[in-house]
Amino acid sequence: MGTSLKARWAAGEVTLGAWCMIPEPLTAEALGRAGFDWVLVDMQHGCMDYETALAMIRAIDLTPALPIVRVPWNDPGIIGRMLDAGALGIVIPMIQTAADAKRAVDACLYPPKGRRSFGPIRVGMRDGPGYFMDANARVAVVPMIETPEALANVEEIAAVPGVDALFVGPFDLSIALGLPPGDNDGKPAFDAAIAKVSAAARAAKVATAVLSNAKVAPLRIEQGFQMISTTTDITALSMAARSDLEAVKAAGKKES
């Protein structure tokens, strides 16, 4: 496997990724071969179950990209299963407090840094007997900041030992701020929230992460984000299909 995201963030690098909503290993592999640093399997809002997510991780492992999973909830059972499946980073939604973040860290890391149970069946086949010794240094723990309570507690969340990045969820965060879901840059409340998360991350010496797109991602790079998604599989497929269809229709009109 390539250099961990944690190591790349510590070196000041920006890592760009793609987001999987479609429950299909071949799609995940295609994204991994497209040149992204990481590919995320979204078990919160995506359409995949555990067995499909496992197959998608295995498909990503065939590529240079690193497999990341957003779990449905801050639950040690599914977090442990996805790590044992081979995920090298866990994005945890709806973290509200430092105590929530500590529970996420405990689920992601082996003792003494956490409370993860040992049983790396599939990932042990991939990485060999040395997996246990390196796992805590390689697995990225990434709580999401997307509610008013999380914003109020963001400094304490960032300071929890074992947290590696704060992930801004722009849709839920916008809704929480009374704005429509999406990127609301230029709206004072949204800009202030981004600035607060970024400041908390810098103070704690952790990275910032965000769901984004090709249009907004350059701004996020300027803002110091180091884990940035630039597309989702369903968006990329829909846009490419629509673009090709419109191009053929336009060509047909010119010939007629």
Side-chain angles (χ1 to χ4, degrees):
M1 302 298 291
T3 304
S4 72
L5 292 182
K6 294 166 65 162
R8 295 186 64 179
W9 297 337
E13 295 183 38
V14 174
T15 60
L16 301 178
W19 207 270
C20 290
M21 298 291 195
I22 300 172
E24 174 49 60
L26 189 59
T27 303
E29 182 181 352
L31 289 174
R33 294 189 186 281
F36 292 103
D37 299 306
W38 51 272
V39 174
L40 182 143
V41 178
D42 188 351
M43 295 191 72
Q44 184 189 19
H45 293 303
C47 301
M48 62 287 298
D49 58 14
Y50 169 77
E51 290 187 356
T52 303
L54 167 62
M56 293 172 75
I57 290 172
R58 295 177 70 190
I60 297 165
D61 282 343
L62 298 173
T63 79
L66 299 182
I68 309 297
V69 172
R70 177 163 73 170
V71 291
W73 199 250
N74 188 14
D75 174 77
I78 190 61
I79 290 173
R81 292 198 81 191
M82 298 322 303
L83 289 170
D84 289 346
L88 288 173
I90 300 290
V91 176
I92 311 100
M94 292 293 174
I95 295 297
Q96 311 282 8
T97 65
D100 288 346
K102 178 64 166 62
R103 283 192 289 273
V105 170
D106 281 346
C108 288
L109 302 183
Y110 289 123
K113 293 185 176 181
R115 302 179 66 183
R116 178 183 172 190
S117 175
F118 181 78
I121 303 304
R122 188 269 152 178
V123 74
M125 289 193 293
R126 186 190 73 191
D127 293 353
Y131 172 78
F132 171 76
M133 298 301 296
D134 297 332
N136 284 357
R138 296 172 64 204
V139 170
V141 183
V142 188
M144 295 192 72
I145 306 298
E146 48 190 345
T147 68
E149 188 174 5
L151 269 180
N153 296 320
V154 68
E155 292 86 359
E156 292 81 6
I157 292 170
V160 171
V163 166
D164 297 301
L166 301 178
F167 200 112
V168 174
F171 290 83
D172 278 309
L173 183 59
S174 290
I175 293 170
L177 296 171
L179 299 168
D183 294 302
N184 284 283
D185 299 278
K187 300 291 180 63
F190 186 85
D191 291 346
I194 293 287
K196 184 171 185 179
V197 174
S198 296
R202 286 195 299 271
K205 295 182 171 55
V206 300
T208 45
V210 67
L211 177 70
S212 191
N213 55 60
K215 182 178 179 181
V216 181
L219 172 62
R220 299 290 179 246
I221 293 174
E222 290 179 15
Q223 292 170 329
F225 285 84
Q226 291 181 274
M227 180 185 188
I228 305 169
S229 69
T230 64
T231 192
T232 69
D233 51 6
I234 198 161
T235 298
L237 174 63
S238 299
M239 290 180 64
R242 188 177 300 115
S243 176
D244 286 349
L245 178 61
E246 290 174 353
V248 172
K249 286 182 175 180
K253 288 180 181 178
K254 289 180 182 178
E255 292 177 1
S256 59

